[in-house]
Amino acid sequence: MKFAYRFSNLLGAVYRQGNLSFSKDGNSVISPVGNRVSVFDLKNNTSETLPVSTKKNITCVGLSPDGNLAILVDEDGAALLVSVITRAVLHHFHFHKPVSSIRFSPDGRKFVVTKENVALMYHAPGKQREFNAFVLDKSYYGPYDETTCIDWTDDSKCFVVGSKDMSTWVFGAERWANLIYYSLGGHKDIIVGCFFEKDSLDLYTVSQDGTLCVWESDTELDGLVLKKRQEKPAPQKKADEEEDDDEEEEERAEGEDGEPRGEVIRGKVAAPKEMTDTKNVRYKQASKHFFNKEGDFNNLTAAAFHKATHILVTGFASGVFHLHELPEFNLIHSLSISDQRIASLAINHSGDWIGFGCSAMGQLLVWEWQSESYVFKQQGHFNNMASLAYSPDGQYIVTGGDDGKVKVWNTNSGLCFVTFTEHTSSITNVTFTSSGFVIVSASLDGTVRAYDLHRYRNFRTFASPRPAQFSSLAVDVSGELVSAGAMDSFEIFIWSMQTGRLLEILSGHEGPVSCLCFSPVQSILASASWDRTVRLWDMMDSWQTKETLRLTTDALSVTYRPDGQEVAVATLDGEISFWNPHSATQTGSVVGRHDLEMGRKETDKITAKQSAKAKSFTSLCYSADGESILAGGQSKFVCIYNIKEQILMKKFEISCNLSFDAMEEFLDRRKMTEFGSLALVDEGAGDGDGVQLSLPGVKRGDMSSRHFKPEIRVSSLRFSPTGRSWAATTTEGLLVYSLDGSLVFDPFDLDLDVTPASIRKQLRLQEWAAAIVLAFRLNEKALTQEVLETVPHKHIPAVCGSLPDVYVEKLLGFVAASLEKSGHLQFYMTWAHNLLMLYGQKLKNRSGALLPTIQSLQKSIQRHFDDLSKLCDFNMFNIRYAVALSKQRGMKRTVEEEDEEEDEEKEEDEEELSEGMSEASLEDGGMVI
């Protein structure tokens, strides 16, 4: 089995914090999710997470005007320069302080970063390879408090910076003689947004108390004059600067790390002194507008302005947003999209779509304001995820969260397409039935619910005679029996899916039932409990206990191998033991406590090494072929063990995000003071973004607050039925790891003669079967595809018949993978059909090993069938409509006819029309496309 699994996508979370941005074409929205970045393609309705991650949560993203480069900055000020095209990290940089915003100039030659009360202008990275991609050009001082927002003029000559000290500063990007800096007041609260008018120096500033100021400049952009360089000796220049206090200071100094800081421009509240020949740029306040009406005060939290259409979008703390046309301040419309504060706003290039991010709920919305409709609407679980399950064909993943919601995700698009909200408390477990169209979920609210994926409704609700909190769930292979284990009464309840009636209550466990699992081949239920036993119950033989497996410590998880011949149990001491369910004997065990490698929490009084003794695996899952097992628990690591050899094969680190607790093995000495750890001090400034400490003994943070430092853990693991990927629900979200076939060179029976040239020679000689065999021996995907697609359609049955048996499975697997992405639908379907018809019986004998390939084939065919059937139905209705319209033509009355005959003709026309419509429907009923 291959273990080259790579991180491929992040589901279950669409937005956490930071600024949203649209791609250059306006069809994709780029959203920061924790320490990763997701790109949502709104045209094709797909999502992708870039394979790059920062050390802490991302706070701001700067996208270059051509859309090729992005700068990601995290909470500490560490920056990554990322190529959006190749998905590669090009450069690492550290700003040493938290950065509030970052913005490229429209010409793409500079970018400005604001940190603390300074605006730093850097040369943008070029197309050539550079030793240092971030070269500082100028530093601008002026505001007294932290800077909050940036905007550039259209020609990149000037930029404006807003600050928490209620002032707005306009700076020249070049050495303009008549605009070095300019300070604007007029507000009574923090500046949230400042925007230049199109091709002008006129300004709009928006503050947190809901005030908009319109500023008019007396100079056009063309009126800016470059400052002449004066040839003066250095000491004299220094003396001149000391004499003249009103003029700006320009100096070359060295930064904290010894790098040259470029020019330093220090602005003062008073306007700079005028030169003799040029008059300085002046601003005057043209008007002032207020968003909040009397008695209805609402904090303004985000703003965006589209220069071409003059539209200002403002988001508020109550989840309301307004659209205004400037400079007249005409309200276009206002709408409430959430009950939480809007954290970020963005407008796409054309100005049609507006993106909203709500960090408290984890919502991402894209709104088309002209048609007043949603283009995109996604929300993750705003609390921890508890469980996940794959559908039998691997096309869907269902997740249950502590927020009481059950969500179904499409693995191809990475998006959620249905959410069930019937549960009133945390979900503890979810699963699919074998048909793949029914989802069952168990919850702490005392109910087990079944959902129909055809009509998207809750069609069964199972409950116990006495209220019980259900902690585990299992559905048998037929989908007829539903079982759930209780936390408080130590009983297992069995219901019938058909009738919804309670069939039996299984008693015998002396502790809470932690996990349930049905055998995949017969009607036997395995139940793991804290009473140090695993019981096997026979569903056919009057619900009796068939076997009891005695363990040394509490059992936390139990799972059957896909062929039903082995049971794996995870226990509290960090061991995984393997049992034969027929003889109830132990066949092996793996001690995995040392592989968990726990980190030390900031509130822990003991070291990580000591606390790791109490940690264990809480989730187990067999691989599709049953040769290895996947295990995860209260740690940032997921381990794959080989069962036969009982050794660790590979360990995956699911996150490197230091914003989570228990990530590092040792406490950071820099945070230790004489008063204790700085991490225990709540540094929140009272603006609602502080980090509150979790209450003692509370695993899920302080429930009264959404801001807490969550602990990293894996709550559930599942292998895809196709065997190509596995998924884990973690504190970060739903992570999907899949095999990246393009990067693995894995030849089979390689020889010196097997080269691309010899394979192409066989193709020229029309030796199709020999070429296919050679291509599989070299095992290069692109070459194999070239060979297959060169084979003429009419020769496919003959080529399939002459293939050696050993290559049939390989070819079937390749066809299944190609069918998923290729446009040659009929061609690859012909290959699959011929292979299955010719070798069906031989393949059936090895069905266990081939199951992932067959399921992958079924998944691809099902997806194409769904897409095509929708298209065909749509075309059928269009053709019927066109035919009905053509029958209608020519039945209209002529104007010249006499008034007396009008009534009679009307009746005749109606009769003819109804006949025509019925004829059309009859004709088209038999139409086949």
Side-chain angles (χ1 to χ4, degrees):
M1 184 184 170
K2 312 290 187 303
F3 295 102
Y5 290 96
R6 286 171 168 247
F7 171 78
S8 67
N9 210 349
L10 171 66
L11 284 65
V14 287
Y15 173 76
R16 287 274 163 79
Q17 64 181 58
N19 61 310
L20 298 172
S21 33
F22 277 95
S23 60
K24 188 188 175 188
D25 59 3
N27 295 336
S28 300
V29 65
I30 295 161
S31 166
V33 187
N35 67 334
R36 299 182 186 273
V37 173
S38 289
V39 180
F40 296 96
D41 187 340
L42 307 174
K43 278 278 174 76
N44 300 319
N45 209 36
T46 58
S47 79
E48 180 190 11
T49 305
L50 304 190
V52 295
S53 57
T54 55
K55 288 286 185 212
K56 288 203 168 179
N57 286 338
I58 294 170
T59 53
C60 43
V61 178
L63 199 64
S64 63
D66 58 4
N68 295 344
L69 294 177
I71 298 174
L72 319 176
V73 189
D74 69 12
E75 291 166 345
D76 286 348
L80 292 180
L81 176 66
V82 176
S83 165
V84 181
I85 298 167
T86 62
R87 313 288 198 243
V89 177
L90 305 178
H91 187 65
H92 291 262
F93 192 77
H94 210 300
F95 291 111
H96 300 296
K97 294 279 164 51
V99 170
S100 55
S101 55
I102 183 166
R103 182 69 74 89
F104 275 86
S105 62
D107 62 5
R109 294 170 64 184
K110 305 277 175 71
F111 67 89
V112 170
V113 170
T114 59
K115 64 172 190 181
E116 292 182 323
N117 63 338
V118 196
L120 304 170
M121 186 164 73
Y122 287 84
H123 292 287
K127 289 187 172 64
Q128 289 78 31
R129 185 175 290 184
E130 297 154 312
F131 176 68
N132 181 11
F134 288 37
V135 181
L136 183 61
D137 185 22
K138 295 183 180 71
S139 303
Y140 296 88
Y141 291 84
Y144 292 101
D145 204 344
E146 285 180 33
T147 46
T148 54
C149 50
I150 314 166
D151 193 40
W152 284 84
T153 53
D154 283 343
D155 57 3
S156 308
K157 286 182 177 178
C158 303
F159 65 93
V160 61
V161 172
S163 168
K164 285 189 177 177
D165 67 0
M166 302 174 282
S167 65
T168 311
W169 292 75
V170 184
F171 292 111
E174 302 288 337
R175 296 172 55 83
W176 306 118
N178 51 346
L179 179 57
I180 298 154
Y181 60 86
Y182 199 98
S183 172
L184 302 165
H187 285 284
K188 297 178 182 175
D189 208 338
I190 296 167
I191 307 294
V192 174
C194 45
F195 311 102
F196 279 110
E197 183 56 87
K198 185 176 168 63
D199 298 325
S200 165
L201 278 173
D202 294 352
L203 260 179
Y204 303 109
T205 56
V206 182
S207 65
Q208 191 174 286
D209 59 357
T211 308
L212 167 75
C213 289
V214 182
W215 305 89
E216 281 184 2
S217 163
D218 62 354
T219 312
E220 290 299 315
L221 281 169
D222 303 339
L224 294 174
V225 182
L226 266 174
K227 195 173 185 180
K228 293 187 182 75
R229 290 273 179 192
Q230 294 177 352
E231 296 292 328
K232 280 189 182 180
Q236 193 183 339
K237 182 181 176 188
K238 189 91 175 172
D240 284 352
E241 278 183 3
E242 281 170 11
E243 280 171 28
D244 192 0
D245 249 8
D246 288 339
E247 202 165 337
E248 89 291 357
E249 293 179 33
E250 294 172 4
E251 55 195 73
R252 290 204 173 270
E254 291 205 342
E256 303 156 8
D257 45 3
E259 288 181 7
R261 273 197 315 200
E263 284 179 40
V264 178
I265 295 171
R266 298 186 186 279
K268 311 221 169 29
V269 178
K273 192 176 178 182
E274 289 194 4
M275 307 300 243
T276 49
D277 50 346
T278 54
K279 193 180 175 194
N280 275 0
V281 173
R282 300 268 173 193
Y283 277 95
K284 70 166 195 267
Q285 194 180 74
S287 57
K288 197 170 186 177
H289 305 285
F290 301 94
F291 291 94
N292 290 316
K293 298 178 180 66
E294 196 178 342
D296 178 28
F297 184 76
N298 199 349
N299 266 352
L300 192 147
T301 55
F305 179 64
H306 191 254
K307 295 182 182 182
T309 53
H310 305 285
I311 282 175
L312 176 75
V313 187
T314 48
F316 293 84
S318 63
V320 174
F321 76 93
H322 296 327
L323 252 79
H324 284 89
E325 192 179 11
L326 296 183
E328 293 83 17
F329 199 67
N330 298 329
L331 179 67
I332 296 171
H333 76 232
S334 114
L335 197 76
S336 173
I337 55 160
S338 174
D339 53 358
Q340 301 284 339
R341 70 188 278 272
I342 295 172
S344 178
L345 279 175
I347 306 179
N348 78 339
H349 186 66
S350 62
D352 297 329
W353 292 348
I354 305 163
F356 299 93
C358 302
S359 54
M361 300 285 284
Q363 279 179 316
L364 177 62
L365 311 163
V366 179
W367 173 259
E368 188 172 41
W369 64 272
Q370 285 166 324
S371 65
E372 297 192 18
S373 61
Y374 285 113
V375 177
F376 183 84
K377 187 178 184 183
Q378 288 283 304
Q379 179 182 345
H381 292 279
F382 64 86
N383 217 321
N384 290 341
M385 283 192 201
S387 179
L388 87 131
Y390 268 99
S391 63
D393 60 359
Q395 203 161 351
Y396 305 121
I397 296 178
V398 60
T399 58
D402 289 347
D403 54 1
K405 290 179 179 168
V406 175
K407 287 178 174 283
V408 191
W409 308 83
N410 187 319
T411 53
N412 296 316
S413 69
L415 300 177
C416 170
F417 62 91
V418 63
T419 304
F420 299 108
T421 56
E422 280 81 4
H423 281 295
T424 55
S425 187
S426 300
I427 311 287
T428 52
N429 219 318
V430 287
T431 185
F432 270 95
T433 60
S434 53
S435 67
F437 298 114
V438 175
I439 292 166
V440 187
S441 64
S443 168
L444 295 180
D445 63 4
T447 61
V448 172
R449 294 176 184 269
Y451 305 96
D452 177 11
L453 276 187
H454 286 304
R455 295 186 181 84
Y456 299 136
R457 64 193 178 100
N458 173 205
F459 70 93
R460 285 275 183 277
T461 303
F462 309 105
S464 54
R466 292 183 303 281
Q469 291 188 311
F470 296 119
S471 58
S472 50
L473 174 74
V475 179
D476 80 329
V477 189
S478 65
E480 171 57 30
L481 297 177
V482 178
S483 66
M487 285 178 78
D488 33 21
S489 65
F490 315 155
E491 293 168 331
I492 300 166
F493 298 87
I494 310 277
W495 296 275
S496 163
M497 180 72 86
Q498 292 290 331
T499 62
R501 291 178 57 185
L502 180 67
L503 300 176
E504 188 68 35
I505 300 174
L506 308 180
S507 302
H509 279 299
E510 295 163 14
V513 179
S514 54
C515 189
L516 295 173
C517 183
F518 269 102
S519 165
V521 290
Q522 55 194 126
S523 210
I524 291 178
L525 174 69
S527 63
S529 168
W530 294 5
D531 64 2
R532 304 186 177 191
T533 62
V534 171
R535 290 174 182 259
L536 304 178
W537 310 81
D538 195 340
M539 299 289 108
M540 310 298 281
D541 187 14
S542 62
W543 324 97
Q544 289 178 359
T545 307
K546 189 178 172 221
E547 299 284 359
T548 303
L549 314 180
R550 302 276 171 199
L551 307 167
T552 51
T553 53
D554 302 9
L556 301 179
S557 179
V558 63
T559 182
Y560 266 98
R561 202 164 72 182
D563 61 359
Q565 302 304 309
E566 190 176 77
V567 172
V569 184
T571 50
L572 196 59
D573 56 1
E575 277 195 19
I576 304 168
S577 52
F578 303 101
W579 299 75
N580 183 332
H582 307 300
S583 61
T585 53
Q586 186 171 344
T587 55
S589 71
V590 171
V591 180
R593 189 192 304 134
H594 303 295
D595 301 323
L596 274 168
E597 280 187 49
M598 271 303 298
R600 182 171 177 177
K601 292 168 70 174
E602 288 172 343
T603 50
D604 276 354
K605 296 285 188 284
I606 57 172
T607 61
K609 196 173 179 182
Q610 289 296 324
S611 64
K613 290 179 180 175
K615 303 300 178 191
S616 53
F617 293 114
T618 54
S619 181
L620 294 177
C621 176
Y622 274 96
S623 62
D625 57 5
E627 287 177 12
S628 46
I629 195 159
L630 199 62
Q634 298 156 308
S635 158
K636 61 179 177 178
F637 289 106
V638 168
C639 306
I640 292 189
Y641 292 99
N642 185 307
I643 299 167
K644 192 178 175 185
E645 304 291 337
Q646 296 177 12
I647 55 169
L648 177 69
M649 298 299 292
K650 187 148 186 183
K651 201 155 70 166
F652 298 93
E653 187 177 10
I654 54 164
S655 178
C656 58
N657 189 356
L658 297 178
S659 298
F660 291 132
D661 212 351
M663 284 295 293
E664 295 183 287
E665 194 175 346
F666 303 103
L667 288 183
D668 193 345
R669 293 282 175 217
R670 289 170 293 186
K671 289 184 180 175
M672 300 305 284
T673 64
E674 55 186 310
F675 308 111
S677 174
L678 277 178
L680 304 182
V681 180
D682 186 6
E683 292 176 353
D687 56 357
D689 286 341
V691 175
Q692 273 103 33
L693 298 176
S694 57
L695 297 174
V698 177
K699 284 184 182 177
R700 300 189 176 112
D702 184 357
M703 288 303 184
S704 65
S705 160
R706 288 275 69 81
H707 296 281
F708 65 94
K709 195 166 182 179
E711 184 187 346
I712 187 77
R713 57 148 58 90
V714 179
S715 54
S716 182
L717 287 167
R718 287 292 178 271
F719 246 102
S720 163
T722 60
R724 299 282 306 169
S725 61
W726 55 269
T729 51
T730 68
T731 318
E732 201 170 26
L734 175 60
L735 301 171
V736 180
Y737 284 76
S738 56
L739 283 174
D740 189 1
S742 59
L743 297 176
V744 182
F745 175 64
D746 181 22
F748 175 78
D749 194 16
L750 194 59
D751 206 340
L752 284 173
D753 309 336
V754 183
T755 60
S758 65
I759 294 168
R760 291 192 174 99
K761 186 183 174 186
Q762 294 292 336
L763 284 179
R764 283 195 297 276
L765 296 171
Q766 297 190 359
E767 297 285 345
W768 312 119
I772 289 171
V773 169
L774 287 175
F776 275 115
R777 283 173 67 182
L778 192 61
N779 209 1
E780 275 191 14
K781 190 180 172 189
L783 194 61
T784 313
Q785 188 174 341
E786 183 190 325
V787 170
L788 274 191
E789 290 179 5
T790 312
V791 178
H793 188 267
K794 59 185 178 187
H795 291 305
I796 292 175
V799 172
C800 286
S802 60
L803 270 181
D805 289 356
V806 101
Y807 293 98
V808 171
E809 293 171 27
K810 288 181 176 296
L811 181 55
L812 195 61
F814 186 83
V815 167
S818 301
L819 197 60
E820 200 164 351
K821 293 174 183 171
S822 175
H824 306 299
L825 191 57
Q826 187 189 355
F827 182 74
Y828 281 111
M829 288 283 281
T830 311
W831 276 107
H833 180 256
N834 281 294
L835 286 171
L836 291 171
M837 290 295 284
L838 285 166
Y839 299 96
Q841 196 55 47
K842 290 178 184 173
L843 294 173
K844 199 172 182 181
N845 297 336
R846 298 196 63 246
S847 59
L850 268 176
L851 194 61
T853 308
I854 300 296
Q855 282 176 326
S856 175
L857 189 66
Q858 186 187 349
K859 174 185 170 185
S860 307
I861 293 169
Q862 185 64 39
R863 192 169 67 83
H864 284 302
F865 176 75
D866 292 345
D867 292 347
L868 279 173
S869 58
K870 280 180 194 168
L871 186 67
C872 292
D873 287 347
F874 182 70
N875 289 345
M876 289 271 285
F877 296 137
N878 276 347
I879 290 168
R880 285 181 188 177
Y881 178 68
V883 170
L885 273 183
S886 67
K887 300 265 183 184
Q888 226 171 342
R889 185 172 290 172
M891 295 181 184
K892 293 180 182 175
R893 291 179 294 113
T894 51
V895 184
E896 300 90 35
E897 283 177 350
E898 295 175 9
D899 295 341
E900 302 96 46
E901 296 173 6
E902 272 185 2
D903 295 336
E904 294 171 17
E905 283 185 358
K906 228 181 229 176
E907 287 169 15
E908 285 172 17
D909 275 355
E910 281 172 9
E911 282 173 18
E912 281 178 27
L913 180 61
S914 64
E915 281 172 21
M917 291 290 276
S918 62
E919 278 172 27
S921 63
L922 280 168
E923 282 174 23
D924 298 322
M927 190 179 287
V928 179
I929 295 177

